[in-house]
Amino acid sequence: MHEREAVSEPREPAAAAGDGLPGGGVASHLAALLVDAGLLTPEQLRHGQRVQSKVSSTRTLLSILTELRYVDMPAIRRTLRTNRPALPLGAVLVELGYLTEPQLKLALALQQERPGTPLGEILSEHNFVQSGDVFGVLADLRGLIAVEPEQAALDIELLRQAPMRQYRSHTFLPLRRDLEGVLIAFADPLNRAHVETARHLFGSDVQVGVASRKSLAIALDRAEKLLAAPASGGAGDESPIVAAVHDIINSALEQQASDIHFEPLRDRMRIRFRQDGAMTAHREVPPDMAQAMVSRIKVMAGADIAERRRHQDGRILFETRRGTVDIRVSIYVSIHGEKVVLRLLNNRGALLGIRDIGMSQRMLEYLENDVLDAPSGVVIITGPTGSGKTTTLYASVNHLNDADTSIITAEDPVEYVIDGISQCSINPKINLSYEETLKHIMRQDPDVIVIGEIRDQFSAEVAINAALTGHKVLTTFHTEDSIGGLVRLMNMNIEAFLISSTVISVIAQRLLRRVCGHCAEDHVLTPHELRRLGYAAADAAGLTFRRGTGCPHCRHTGYRGRVAVFELLVLNERVRDAVIARKTSFEIRRISTETSGLVTLLEDGIAKAADGDTTFEEIIRELPRLSAPRPLAELRRLLGVKE
Ligand SMILES: [Zn+2]
């Protein structure tokens, strides 16, 4: 198969693919090909066009035809492959629904800053489209072969036919030789000089493969190592897998991800990172490679490789140039195979002081003076997983940590090591259970006890009893909001008067994504949006938040980093009475708001959004809206925030 002689790359319709002609041109060109191939009838095409003219959104014709089930993606891709229409890659990706028009515009703008960089490269590098899809469609359009050199087995004899520097300077790599010639992976297959060099070295019948620059770079490194290594047999088959797993963990660390998910799907494994609380795509791998990667992780984590039907866990101490990273591994058996999640424990940022966790001025004063400095009692930090509870817990512990205080912890697991306190990591494998640890903790003569989490009646009782005997107890809980924490304790068969006399404070919190400072613009809330927040539209008219439009600084998400919002309930007499009287959560909430200065999560979120820290969408997505918020001016006064 010969590379068609070349190809001046069809130009992307400049700035706007949106207004009618260019995008429409691509659509009708593709639709005509489908009709010619007998995959779509002219009636179906007309129906699709009618539907498109009626929908208000910017749906592409092909996506409508696919949704109507007149055609499917494999058929479209086959048609591209047979006909190789001279259409620009970006516009085709938009038409096929892999990419949106705003993303394409952005990518073209980015390309202008880096002339000569292929568009496919920019799309894959910025994660606009999975690189497999970008290069798959590009290969279809240009009659090339999509390859993933990163995952290919390398042929050392073939590699030796040319010097490494040739591969590097022309960014290509020979993968294998078969009857049709040598298959070569190119990062820029449309660059005629690169293809000519390869033909010169490997013969005129080279098959041109297209790969992402990243995948090729990894393969080039591997090839270099392979060529440098002394010839020997052995672990040759395994090493690409070892390298791939290593590379994924390193990328996650570099990108400051907190978790890596290896998710088996029906026909492939998807690998995603959790960054700033949100999942982001990293890459996908085929099933055979997925199995090998899972086995490799099991070996690293000390789990049982032969066991594939039970959930398992383990731990990896991963060596990097900057030190050892502690990784917790959870292996969960799903219907498509084992799902593996790696939690990167020391990759969660530094230990913060309580002044740095993002509490408003007034709340911080309450936390320092009325909560943490109280002589004894229980302080509960509550919120779902990933709400930043642990950060607040450690910041509080750090605040209490001084030479004349004895602090002891029972945690599952220890996530930050703090100098000067005694931390215990629960380990059920050796029967060091939570229960066992809590029984012993009281005998250690502590002033402050940190119980990682209240997870059952037993741990709740330990916390309450410790407080009754004059200790300060810090712990966490999984509830929606602060009042929910109290109610949950009341429902755990613990006497209401014990709760009311020991619990000092319940802090509920969430992490919302922070608006990217580089691309933020004003967002004046509409009457409908105000109503969704719980405001009467007239009362809050003109309320203005910020939102990011997307730029390279924020990976085009409009968000960068996170901001914590809090609800700090300090129990006063009125609230304690309400607990003893076993009032409903609605009543306790009302009394707390009216008498204790409680500012709700929703209200703190609104105040922070009004300061430009987070968006309307984040508030709606993350915060409970249990009661109507008070006007912004009042919230700012309650929070001690200046206008
Ligand atoms: Zn941005």
Side-chain angles (χ1 to χ4, degrees):
M1 189 190 310
H2 286 259
E3 153 69 324
R4 276 208 313 191
E5 264 325 311
V7 267
S8 60
E9 176 69 335
R11 282 174 58 84
E12 293 294 339
D19 323 322
L21 216 153
V26 170
S28 50
H29 195 142
L30 293 177
L33 291 177
L34 290 166
V35 172
D36 287 348
L39 294 165
L40 183 73
T41 68
E43 293 72 38
Q44 288 174 328
L45 173 56
R46 276 195 294 278
H47 183 227
Q49 283 163 334
R50 267 203 311 283
V51 172
Q52 190 189 24
S53 69
K54 287 191 179 125
V55 296
S56 55
S57 60
T58 53
R59 293 285 305 278
T60 66
L61 180 60
L62 269 275
S63 72
I64 287 170
L65 292 172
T66 331
E67 194 152 296
L68 291 168
R69 295 178 187 257
Y70 291 161
V71 284
D72 60 13
M73 195 54 85
I76 298 174
R77 295 279 296 268
R78 273 201 311 279
T79 308
L80 287 182
R81 212 165 169 77
T82 340
N83 293 282
R84 299 188 198 168
L87 296 173
L89 173 67
V92 172
L93 287 169
V94 169
E95 190 51 44
L96 298 189
Y98 289 111
L99 185 69
T100 65
E101 281 183 10
Q103 286 175 322
L104 175 58
K105 279 187 202 169
L106 204 52
L108 291 172
L110 292 168
Q111 191 185 27
Q112 300 224 311
E113 291 166 17
R114 288 160 55 191
T117 314
L119 181 67
E121 206 50 56
I122 288 175
L123 293 173
S124 121
E125 197 177 288
H126 288 264
N127 280 326
F128 285 133
V129 189
Q130 291 279 341
S131 62
D133 292 330
V134 179
F135 294 102
V137 172
L138 179 62
D140 289 346
L141 278 176
R142 310 286 175 252
L144 312 172
I145 301 166
V147 291
E148 300 208 41
E150 175 181 4
Q151 293 162 20
L154 296 176
D155 177 342
I156 190 154
E157 292 310 318
L158 196 58
L159 290 174
R160 287 204 176 109
Q161 287 191 22
M164 205 54 219
R165 62 182 160 72
Q166 288 271 26
Y167 302 147
R168 290 224 181 257
S169 63
H170 294 89
T171 48
F172 68 76
L173 195 67
L175 297 181
R176 61 165 188 266
R177 182 195 298 281
D178 59 25
L179 291 175
E180 294 188 79
V182 176
L183 173 62
I184 298 186
F186 289 88
D188 187 2
L190 304 176
N191 183 316
R192 215 181 298 188
H194 292 185
V195 176
E196 278 313 312
T197 308
R199 286 205 171 117
H200 178 69
L201 292 166
F202 291 95
S204 60
D205 55 351
V206 300
Q207 302 177 70
V208 179
V210 50
S212 74
R213 195 166 291 269
K214 186 171 154 195
S215 177
L216 194 59
I218 292 168
L220 281 166
D221 288 346
R222 245 174 66 210
E224 190 155 42
K225 277 191 204 123
L226 208 58
L227 288 171
S232 71
D237 272 349
E238 197 199 31
S239 55
I241 299 293
V242 172
V245 171
H246 214 265
D247 181 57
I248 291 166
I249 298 175
N250 274 323
S251 311
L253 290 169
E254 251 164 51
Q255 296 177 34
Q256 295 181 346
S258 58
D259 307 76
I260 310 173
H261 291 229
F262 296 80
E263 303 161 291
L265 305 177
R266 198 170 45 76
D267 55 350
R268 63 198 192 282
M269 184 161 77
R270 177 168 66 178
I271 300 167
R272 294 192 291 174
F273 294 166
R274 187 177 292 283
Q275 288 168 282
D276 292 341
M279 300 296 288
T280 52
H282 177 61
R283 56 181 279 209
E284 298 191 343
V285 299
D288 49 332
M289 186 175 180
Q291 189 51 55
M293 286 171 93
V294 170
S295 297
R296 170 65 190 157
I297 294 168
K298 283 174 156 178
V299 169
M300 293 167 81
D304 181 352
I305 312 194
E307 178 59 77
R308 288 184 188 174
R309 292 171 306 170
R310 286 176 199 285
H311 312 310
Q312 297 192 65
D313 53 22
R315 182 180 184 190
I316 298 171
L317 292 173
F318 186 80
E319 299 296 336
T320 71
R321 259 168 297 166
R322 285 178 303 171
T324 307
V325 180
D326 192 353
I327 302 176
R328 291 304 155 112
V329 182
S330 163
I331 301 159
Y332 186 86
V333 181
S334 77
I335 54 167
H336 295 310
E338 290 162 299
K339 172 174 179 189
V340 180
V341 174
L342 309 188
R343 285 175 66 200
L344 311 177
L345 289 187
N346 346 22
N347 210 35
R348 293 160 181 260
L351 178 62
L352 298 178
I354 54 171
R355 291 178 177 277
D356 306 317
I357 57 178
M359 262 192 191
S360 66
Q361 187 54 39
R362 189 65 49 79
M363 256 192 221
L364 195 58
E365 285 163 17
Y366 279 130
L367 178 66
E368 278 188 303
N369 305 329
D370 299 331
V371 178
L372 294 179
D373 292 349
S376 68
V378 181
V379 178
I380 300 170
I381 303 164
T382 189
T385 306
S387 57
K389 302 194 287 286
T390 313
T391 304
T392 304
L393 179 69
Y394 279 101
S396 305
V397 171
N398 206 24
H399 176 78
L400 295 172
N401 184 18
D402 60 34
D404 41 352
T405 308
S406 155
I407 303 179
I408 189 160
T409 79
E411 302 168 74
D412 186 15
V414 169
E415 294 193 24
Y416 289 104
V417 177
I418 303 179
D419 189 41
I421 74 175
S422 312
Q423 293 172 281
C424 171
S425 228
I426 305 299
N427 187 350
K429 274 193 181 158
I430 53 162
N431 263 337
L432 184 58
S433 69
Y434 225 58
E435 190 154 320
E436 187 66 20
T437 306
L438 294 183
K439 275 182 196 158
H440 283 85
I441 211 166
M442 295 294 286
R443 303 177 196 157
Q444 285 282 316
D445 184 32
D447 300 304
V448 177
I449 299 173
V450 179
I451 299 177
E453 184 187 355
I454 291 186
R455 44 168 75 162
D456 52 17
Q457 188 177 348
F458 175 77
S459 39
E461 281 169 355
V462 170
I464 302 267
N465 286 333
L468 284 172
T469 51
H471 300 89
K472 203 178 296 187
V473 181
L474 302 182
T475 187
T476 73
F477 214 179
H478 265 270
T479 60
E480 275 275 291
D481 67 338
S482 62
I483 310 295
L486 284 182
V487 172
R488 177 85 185 280
L489 276 179
M490 288 156 76
N491 292 340
M492 274 182 151
N493 264 335
I494 295 174
E495 293 289 349
F497 76 90
L498 286 180
I499 299 170
S500 80
S501 54
T502 53
V503 176
I504 313 169
S505 170
V506 187
I507 304 162
Q509 73 174 89
R510 291 289 190 287
L511 289 177
L512 305 188
R513 286 186 288 170
R514 186 185 284 281
V515 174
C516 170
H518 296 273
C519 60
E521 56 182 37
D522 277 355
H523 167 212
V524 180
L525 272 69
T526 65
H528 175 67
E529 288 169 339
L530 290 172
R531 275 194 297 276
R532 291 187 71 193
L533 290 178
Y535 282 123
D539 293 351
L543 185 60
T544 304
F545 292 173
R546 306 270 287 166
R547 59 160 58 127
T549 51
C551 70
H553 293 283
C554 56
R555 302 191 301 268
H556 310 285
T557 59
Y559 295 103
R560 200 166 180 225
R562 288 188 291 176
V563 54
V565 300
F566 298 95
E567 175 175 294
L568 176 70
L569 170 67
V570 184
L571 280 76
N572 64 9
E573 280 311 307
R574 297 282 309 276
V575 180
R576 291 182 196 285
D577 289 346
V579 171
I580 293 176
R582 292 193 154 267
K583 296 261 203 242
T584 62
S585 59
F586 177 80
E587 273 295 292
I588 300 176
R589 167 168 293 280
R590 187 185 59 75
I591 293 167
S592 308
T593 315
E594 284 172 9
T595 69
S596 77
L598 178 81
V599 172
T600 66
L601 281 170
L602 175 64
E603 290 175 328
D604 195 37
I606 289 173
K608 282 177 172 142
D611 283 343
D613 289 338
T614 189
T615 62
F616 171 77
E617 288 75 17
E618 282 292 285
I619 291 177
I620 294 293
R621 197 165 69 96
E622 294 288 340
L623 303 183
R625 285 166 283 157
L626 300 169
S627 54
R630 287 164 283 186
L632 182 61
E634 186 176 349
L635 296 180
R636 284 187 160 143
R637 186 177 55 75
L638 286 166
L639 292 165
V641 181
K642 286 170 207 78
E643 292 273 338

